[in-house]
Amino acid sequence: MRRGLDLARLSKNGASSVRRHPNLERGPMSLEYENDGALHAKLIEEVLSQYPDKAAKRRKKHLSVAKSEDEAGEEGEVLSECDVKSNIKSIPGVMTIRGCAYAGSKGVVWGPVKDMVHISHGPVGCGQYSWSQRRNYYVGTTGIDTFGTMQFTSDFQEKDIVFGGDKKLEQIIDEIEELFPLNNGITVQSECPIGLIGDDTEAVSRNKAKEHEKTIVPVRCEGFRGVSQSLGHHIANDSIRDWVFEKKDVEFEAGPYDVNVIGDYNIGGDAWASRILLEEIGLRVVGNWSGDATLAEIERAPKAKLNLIHCYRSMNYICRHMEEKYGVAWMEYNFFGPSQIEASLRKIAKHFGPEIEEKTEKVIAKYRPLVDAVIAKYRPRLEGNTVMLYVGGLRPRHVITAYEDLGMVIVGTGYEFAHNDDYQRTGHYVKNGTLIYDDVTGYELEKFIEGVRPNLVGSGIKEKYPVQKMGIPFRQMHSWDYSGPYHGYDGFAIFARDVDLAINNPVWGLYQAPWKTSPSRGRAMAAE
Amino acid sequence: MPQSADKVLDHAPLFREPEYRQMLAEKKLNFECPHPDEIVTDQREFTKTWEYREKNLAREALVVNPAKACQPLGAVFAAAGFERTMSFVHGSQGCVAYYRSHLSRHFKEPASAVSSSMTEDAAVFGGLKNMVDGLANTYQLYDPKMIAVSTTCMAEVIGDDLHSFIENAKDENSVPRDFDVPFAHTPAFVGSHVDGYDGMVKGILEHFWKGQERTQAGGTINIIPGFDGFCVGNNRELKRLLDLMGVSYTFIQDASDQFDTPSDGEYRMYDGGTKIEDVKKALNAEATLSLQYYNTRKTLEYCEQVGQATASFHYPLGVQATDEFLMELSAISGKEIPETIRLERGRLIDAMADSQSWLHGKKYAIYGDPDFVYAMARFVMETGGEPTHCLATNGTAAWEAELKELLASSPFGKDAQVWAGKDLWAMRSLLFTEPVDLLIGNSYGKYLERDTGTPLIRLMFPIFDRHHHHRFALMGYQGGLRVLTTILDKIFDKLDRETSETGVTDYSYDLTR
């Protein structure tokens, strides 16, 4: 029952009241539509009714329907208000999709710094499960001068818990120096036990840094700290401030167009597809944090003229610090989809004046035929398809316009670890009636998807297979489902191709055995 | 501009385009402050030497690229093999996200588990409240028949007592008094995932068997598969063999359906698994057989304590291992091995004879879980191959001794070396200094394949970068055929690749091999 012809699907499965515009044009927020807020409110009510009272009361604050908001914000038009509680503890036993502080530090911020060895300090598991999984692309000779796709662990044993692991850490650092002498530094990523047994990784790091004349950064990202990955980002940011900045004399002659790209982890090559554009408009990217980065790129960052921040959630802290301490301005930008790329390029160019602005217009014009061709090819195949998103701290809003550039409609979105300021920013992207879910539970997400029956879900590996079992196309929006890049113009073409191949694959039409006529899913059939 | 709508280039071809190559070269030169190429090359060459190997093997504290995971992963996998059972891992929540991701990436299937989401305050005051609330929420939201509780290292370090916590939760009506909440303490800083598997299976058996009267049912057999990424194919193949023999058996822990649900529009959070009623009855079995000894040491001890006979194997794969397994089954059950199985055996032998010239004398490096490595080494020797390096990061001294005994029993094992507790960075040195023809392991081995050029055969958990292998059995004679064919394909593909250059090597590019 899941899949008929595409056209049939648009009207039947899409829960959103899609108003299809006759003359859709490219440009920010050009796709006008409103979502079925009443249905979404009902779905929220239904899922809450299944919780024990105490949990229902807590979960209620995290779920909402975006409401109209007329007020115009500074950054542009605010489309809606997404008023949910966020960045607070997950409820036990509900199957939160969140990770931990270690994942935020080792997995996100520090892990991609390629010429340093990142020690997963504690038991073996954390490093094992996160080994090579975020696809932070880099160029280098792994194991010799770069170490990104390796798993270094202190593999804690019971005796380390009982007697402490500082001695072991010292020995590990010495062994790294002997076996991997071309490393340009080491980070010590603390796992849960470290903070509980009272190890002093700071002292070890300080002493060993002196002995080996290397940068050694202890990061107190024990998994039990905070409520999600988010605190790990913050702790990692702070460790850059405290253990990297101003520790060496950085010889670097800054130029007038020097920028850092902050919060691009080069997943599937995202940062490269972005860098090529920034260079084309005449800027010099002197540091990229932290995808494909070397320690040198981090050390020299305070000398740049502007910090361009992509993932605001994970790296705004250090941008604010660089602004306060070194006077480096920072600016958010968005390189997902042509509408946002154009708007961002112009915003960035404006900061640098007419010369860059002129080049920028040329670059935009240069890529326009590519954008037009991609949209001409894929939009007719995707127009009006509905999408639900559930990702980390940035993409639940940042990718929305990219889908809309392809004529697609966002009916629901939510974050694992956003804060209040992220939900405020979300209002610039989502339309009235959009279903909003913060720190969604496995149960809620399943029920929401079942009730809305979107044409595509974009989320993570844990969500992928349950959704596909329901007969709904899925793309992983953390790892780009092993594809990418998705940033920049080159990335947009890949994104469009991937969305098309996910939605328009014939497999979705084969789910029902032809000799079975009875529906296997009551709700979806009733909706049709 | 390299990109076009007609032919969309993704990362693999895109970044090979001249624009990007130039951009990356300039980035390196101007901004990365790299080591000079010569120094990098020197160091790379140095890592291939015996001198580096000596230093590498002398490491005492640092572990690099280990081939093992932590206990709770094993516990979560174990719990997935029981009817409508939800894993509840007490401790930090990020761990659970990791286990679920890890299992999903291998099986390409949903993997459900919940966490008690302990944070700083629970670190100070203990996680009782998290257990009480958590069990109530899990019970109500996910409608399980059983909740299997294990622990992350955080809960272990602060010393939370699962038994009393669960009792407390029941007192507070989180779950009904008679609801089944078996548990296992699974500290990540002891042993590995195979021990977590052991602990959880034992915990479940104890939960149902403790205080129950045993009335032995002669000839009935329990089978515990152990942590097995190929459980989908293996368990089904073993059941087919057991059914052919007419043995009365119960699989204790069977995740073959849970990790292989159909796509028909319905998401099944739970599917298959050992029925709880069957777990209870399994107390009466005459014997319990473990397919992987090093996964079930404590469980087997417990089975002996309740009065069952026990026997254990090392991943019955290949000819003699399958022979022994079937004969043991026959001995306990009193059922004869039917002629159809003898013919199957003959077909495997036939295939091995057909291909022996391509296999004889081939050298292998094998790594993975202890029982698997033992099994592969044994099968390799049956084909005339030499298991030059046998490595298990989670291998114990007992394993090392047992494997050495096996290797000593065959002329093909005389040059073999056993590496207990070593990691894959050690393996890298071994492959450079004492090269082999083939590497058998899991997806992590691809970095060894890249660095050393040794062709990798993926036959063990986890396999992330190839699809569906786990759906096919490795155990039994049928499984032997699959392993044999996989090895041969790798050999022939390599040979074809090496002889395919037109006018240079293609005289050897034979049509028939």
Side-chain angles (χ1 to χ4, degrees):
Chain A
M1 90 301 155
R2 170 54 204 138
R3 288 285 154 200
L5 291 169
D6 286 359
L7 283 175
R9 186 162 83 235
L10 291 184
S11 53
K12 286 176 182 171
N13 286 343
S16 122
S17 54
V18 183
R19 288 207 311 262
R20 285 209 268 161
H21 240 239
N23 298 311
L24 287 167
E25 284 180 25
R26 277 183 298 107
M29 322 301 169
S30 66
L31 198 73
E32 287 181 23
Y33 58 89
E34 200 169 289
N35 287 310
D36 188 347
L39 170 76
H40 296 164
K42 191 165 148 272
L43 289 171
I44 291 174
E45 213 173 287
E46 278 174 17
V47 298
L48 289 173
S49 72
Q50 294 306 306
Y51 282 94
D53 290 347
K54 187 174 164 191
K57 220 174 275 172
R58 287 175 66 184
R59 282 304 305 158
K60 190 170 183 219
K61 298 171 188 159
H62 297 264
L63 306 172
S64 87
V65 177
K67 291 174 211 63
S68 277
E69 178 67 73
D70 296 329
E71 182 194 328
E74 229 174 74
E75 303 266 319
E77 193 193 0
V78 178
L79 301 170
S80 62
E81 197 190 339
C82 310
D83 189 18
V84 290
K85 275 258 188 283
S86 58
N87 195 35
I88 51 178
K89 269 197 261 183
S90 303
I91 301 173
V94 295
M95 212 178 311
T96 174
I97 291 158
R98 283 174 168 175
C100 62
Y102 164 88
S105 175
K106 187 268 184 180
V108 174
V109 176
W110 274 113
V113 180
K114 65 181 178 180
D115 61 343
M116 298 176 83
V117 169
H118 308 290
I119 305 168
S120 292
H121 189 41
V124 68
C126 318
Q128 200 72 3
Y129 308 128
S130 55
W131 179 4
S132 289
Q133 294 297 356
R134 258 178 68 85
R135 305 187 62 235
N136 314 106
Y137 281 9
Y138 64 94
V139 179
T141 308
T142 302
I144 309 301
D145 66 348
T146 48
F147 311 92
T149 49
M150 297 175 71
Q151 131 79 326
F152 292 82
T153 174
S154 44
D155 189 15
F156 259 37
Q157 301 300 305
E158 198 151 23
K159 64 176 190 317
D160 303 314
I161 300 288
V162 175
F163 300 110
D166 286 344
K167 284 266 171 298
K168 186 174 202 175
L169 181 59
E170 287 174 2
Q171 196 179 346
I172 283 171
I173 291 169
D174 293 343
E175 289 179 357
I176 287 171
E177 285 306 309
E178 176 157 35
L179 289 163
F180 306 95
L182 301 189
N183 80 75
N184 282 329
I186 293 171
T187 72
V188 182
Q189 307 284 332
S190 288
E191 299 170 5
C192 287
I194 305 307
L196 298 171
I197 61 177
D199 274 11
D200 191 352
T201 55
E202 287 81 2
V204 174
S205 300
R206 210 173 284 119
N207 294 338
K208 283 292 164 186
K210 214 169 180 185
E211 182 186 332
H212 294 295
E213 295 175 343
K214 281 265 168 80
T215 298
I216 301 182
V217 182
V219 192
R220 284 296 188 158
C221 55
E222 286 89 346
F224 62 83
R225 292 191 198 277
V227 303
S228 67
Q229 292 94 313
S230 187
L231 189 63
H233 305 141
H234 198 153
I235 292 167
N237 277 227
D238 288 352
S239 68
I240 293 171
R241 180 195 65 200
D242 298 340
W243 295 82
V244 179
F245 283 173
E246 298 179 34
K247 297 293 178 219
K248 281 186 212 162
D249 291 332
V250 177
E251 283 177 30
F252 185 75
E253 205 55 50
Y257 301 120
D258 285 4
V259 298
N260 296 307
V261 169
I262 309 281
D264 190 323
Y265 303 104
N266 204 31
I267 291 166
D270 280 341
W272 295 336
S274 304
R275 182 185 197 97
I276 205 164
L277 292 177
L278 295 170
E279 289 185 354
E280 269 187 276
I281 67 168
L283 303 182
R284 215 163 72 115
V285 182
V286 300
N288 190 93
W289 290 22
S290 56
D292 192 36
T294 59
L295 179 62
E297 295 178 52
I298 295 181
E299 288 167 339
R300 84 167 66 92
K303 303 206 168 195
K305 292 287 177 285
L306 179 68
N307 279 327
L308 293 170
I309 181 160
H310 207 245
C311 183
Y312 170 83
R313 181 68 278 134
S314 57
M315 284 224 187
N316 76 84
Y317 318 99
I318 199 72
C319 289
R320 291 175 196 280
H321 172 73
M322 280 194 262
E323 184 178 40
E324 277 170 31
K325 186 92 189 268
Y326 310 106
V328 187
W330 57 277
M331 181 187 284
E332 291 175 62
Y333 74 106
N334 181 348
F335 270 6
F336 286 111
S339 298
Q340 293 291 350
I341 296 171
E342 285 181 15
S344 289
L345 284 176
R346 289 192 171 114
K347 194 170 81 167
I348 294 165
K350 205 172 160 200
H351 183 89
F352 289 98
E355 197 185 324
I356 299 292
E357 283 185 287
E358 201 179 307
K359 278 189 189 169
T360 299
E361 289 308 320
K362 282 189 190 144
V363 169
I364 289 171
K366 174 188 159 188
Y367 283 97
R368 181 142 310 159
L370 171 67
V371 170
D372 289 343
V374 168
I375 289 177
K377 181 176 178 184
Y378 291 109
R379 185 160 180 157
R381 300 168 61 79
L382 299 168
E383 184 96 48
N385 274 261
T386 56
V387 184
M388 283 174 74
L389 298 169
Y390 183 71
V391 210
L394 174 80
R395 291 163 182 166
R397 62 175 179 275
H398 247 187
V399 299
I400 285 176
T401 330
Y403 286 105
E404 290 175 347
D405 286 336
L406 295 167
M408 301 173 75
V409 168
I410 305 298
V411 292
T413 192
Y415 299 85
E416 281 182 39
F417 49 79
H419 298 204
N420 194 32
D421 50 358
D422 295 300
Y423 282 100
Q424 280 169 2
R425 284 165 168 77
T426 311
H428 294 274
Y429 288 91
V430 302
K431 304 291 194 286
N432 192 25
T434 306
L435 183 57
I436 306 290
Y437 26 88
D438 178 72
D439 184 21
V440 80
T441 68
Y443 177 79
E444 288 162 0
L445 191 60
E446 184 193 337
K447 293 298 162 195
F448 289 157
I449 290 168
E450 218 172 59
V452 172
R453 294 295 301 184
N455 301 108
L456 180 75
V457 174
S459 191
I461 184 71
K462 304 191 289 299
E463 294 70 62
K464 180 183 173 86
Y465 300 106
V467 172
Q468 291 191 166
K469 301 281 179 193
M470 295 185 217
I472 295 175
F474 187 98
R475 288 295 295 181
Q476 289 183 67
M477 293 303 283
H478 298 266
S479 67
W480 306 148
D481 237 316
Y482 322 118
S483 176
Y486 282 177
H487 290 180
Y489 288 114
D490 289 345
F492 177 64
I494 303 163
F495 171 74
R497 179 201 69 178
D498 288 353
V499 171
D500 175 51
L501 66 81
I503 289 182
N504 292 312
N505 189 279
V507 72
W508 313 114
L510 300 172
Y511 270 45
Q512 197 61 257
W515 60 90
K516 282 284 235 196
T517 49
S518 65
S520 60
R521 274 322 236 193
R523 167 152 215 129
M525 278 309 283
E528 293 184 16
Chain B
M1 186 164 34
Q3 193 63 290
S4 78
D6 291 337
K7 190 167 185 287
V8 174
L9 304 180
D10 63 19
H11 54 88
L14 180 67
F15 299 129
R16 302 305 298 153
E17 292 289 325
E19 290 92 333
Y20 278 101
R21 293 169 84 133
Q22 191 189 337
M23 181 190 86
L24 292 172
E26 284 171 9
K27 173 184 185 282
K28 182 178 174 184
L29 186 69
N30 298 323
F31 303 114
E32 291 189 356
C33 304
H35 296 285
D37 287 347
E38 198 184 294
I39 288 183
V40 175
T41 306
D42 285 353
Q43 175 65 17
R44 178 159 74 181
E45 292 310 308
F46 177 55
T47 63
K48 299 176 181 173
T49 62
W50 277 91
E51 190 187 345
Y52 188 86
R53 167 180 161 150
E54 295 309 321
K55 289 171 187 252
N56 191 3
L57 292 176
R59 258 187 293 140
E60 287 173 348
L62 173 67
V63 174
V64 186
N65 299 352
K68 68 171 180 180
C70 67
Q71 279 213 45
L73 180 79
V76 169
F77 174 86
F82 293 89
E83 178 188 13
R84 285 193 79 84
T85 297
M86 179 60 79
S87 259
F88 183 109
V89 192
H90 184 56
S92 298
Q93 71 192 14
C95 316
V96 174
Y98 279 143
Y99 315 140
R100 295 181 62 206
S101 302
H102 207 66
L103 293 168
S104 278
R105 287 181 177 124
H106 170 80
F107 287 109
K108 317 294 177 201
E109 286 288 322
S112 297
V114 299
S115 165
S116 64
S117 296
M118 286 164 66
T119 58
E120 286 107 325
D121 53 346
V124 177
F125 301 110
L128 174 59
K129 204 167 154 298
N130 300 65
M131 177 74 77
V132 172
D133 290 350
L135 286 179
N137 290 331
T138 305
Y139 179 74
Q140 194 146 329
L141 280 187
Y142 296 110
D143 190 25
K145 232 176 161 173
M146 172 160 95
I147 298 176
V149 181
S150 51
T151 47
T152 77
C153 55
M154 179 219 186
E156 287 300 318
V157 172
I158 65 174
D160 279 3
D161 176 3
L162 291 183
H163 177 70
S164 79
F165 279 21
I166 292 166
E167 285 305 305
N168 270 306
K170 286 186 171 181
D171 289 344
E172 298 201 28
N173 300 315
S174 296
V175 297
R177 178 49 50 201
D178 60 354
F179 184 77
D180 295 309
V181 188
F183 66 90
H185 285 276
T186 49
F189 44 83
V190 176
S192 72
H193 58 288
V194 302
D195 301 285
Y197 179 95
D198 194 7
M200 184 46 84
V201 172
K202 182 181 175 224
I204 289 171
L205 294 185
E206 266 187 318
H207 172 82
F208 289 108
W209 293 358
K210 211 169 183 178
Q212 304 297 310
E213 185 118 350
R214 181 165 180 272
T215 50
Q216 184 172 316
T220 58
I221 297 172
N222 297 328
I223 293 179
I224 308 178
F227 189 104
D228 182 13
F230 280 71
C231 63
V232 172
N234 280 337
N235 292 5
R236 289 176 185 166
E237 172 61 12
L238 289 169
K239 286 180 208 170
R240 188 185 66 85
L241 289 171
L242 291 157
D243 289 339
L244 277 174
M245 285 179 70
V247 173
S248 170
Y249 65 91
T250 302
F251 260 73
I252 291 183
Q253 202 280 333
D254 174 12
S256 60
D257 288 343
Q258 180 67 49
F259 289 128
D260 191 25
T261 60
S263 269
D264 57 5
E266 182 187 355
Y267 162 46
R268 298 157 175 83
M269 180 169 268
Y270 309 102
D271 203 6
T274 309
K275 296 246 180 294
I276 287 175
E277 281 314 304
D278 292 342
V279 179
K280 291 178 184 167
K281 280 187 225 153
L283 172 62
N284 302 324
E286 179 173 338
T288 293
L289 305 191
S290 161
L291 302 184
Q292 299 193 69
Y293 170 74
Y294 291 101
N295 286 241
T296 49
R297 284 167 291 178
K298 288 183 175 158
T299 304
L300 285 179
E301 252 172 49
Y302 177 64
C303 291
E304 280 162 24
Q305 278 168 25
V306 301
Q308 296 170 350
T310 64
S312 60
F313 303 87
H314 298 302
Y315 208 93
L317 173 160
V319 181
Q320 288 154 298
T322 304
D323 293 347
E324 285 168 14
F325 174 65
L326 294 173
M327 288 191 296
E328 184 74 35
L329 277 176
S330 175
I332 297 170
S333 65
K335 307 277 186 186
E336 274 185 29
I337 301 170
E339 181 64 5
T340 47
I341 294 182
R342 194 187 69 85
L343 295 177
E344 269 181 30
R345 182 185 190 279
R347 290 181 194 116
L348 172 60
I349 305 301
D350 181 66
M352 289 164 68
D354 294 345
S355 310
Q356 53 81 20
S357 63
W358 296 99
L359 298 167
H360 192 101
K362 286 277 183 294
K363 288 179 190 295
Y364 295 77
I366 303 162
Y367 74 85
D369 286 342
D371 295 287
F372 170 82
V373 173
Y374 186 99
M376 276 310 310
R378 191 173 188 189
F379 183 54
V380 158
M381 292 196 293
E382 286 174 342
T383 66
E386 296 169 23
T388 305
H389 303 293
C390 302
L391 181 148
T393 309
N394 51 355
T396 58
W399 170 78
E400 185 177 336
E402 202 179 357
L403 182 52
K404 278 182 172 162
E405 197 181 310
L406 170 77
L407 295 165
S409 71
S410 161
F412 295 94
K414 72 174 174 14
D415 295 327
Q417 297 170 79
V418 182
W419 305 97
K422 295 295 179 192
D423 52 37
L424 299 186
W425 191 256
M427 180 68 101
R428 187 176 182 274
S429 280
L430 300 175
L431 294 177
F432 275 128
T433 48
E434 295 175 275
V436 297
D437 298 298
L438 295 160
L439 172 65
I440 294 178
N442 55 23
S443 286
Y444 297 120
K446 77 186 298 175
Y447 299 124
L448 293 169
E449 182 176 40
R450 175 196 59 193
D451 288 0
T452 69
T454 318
L456 169 68
I457 301 172
R458 296 161 178 81
L459 287 168
M460 226 212 66
F461 179 91
I463 299 176
F464 298 134
D465 61 339
R466 296 291 185 272
H467 292 195
H468 312 309
H469 291 201
H470 68 276
R471 295 174 195 270
F472 300 92
L474 305 181
M475 291 182 185
Y477 304 124
Q478 291 290 340
L481 268 177
R482 171 90 187 164
V483 175
L484 185 78
T485 310
T486 308
I487 294 173
L488 286 165
D489 278 351
K490 193 60 85 172
I491 291 171
F492 290 133
D493 284 348
K494 180 167 183 261
L495 188 55
D496 279 350
R497 244 189 346 267
E498 286 169 354
T499 57
S500 63
E501 202 180 335
T502 311
V504 180
T505 59
D506 67 348
Y507 45 81
S508 300
Y509 193 67
D510 282 325
L511 180 63
T512 305
R513 296 205 194 269

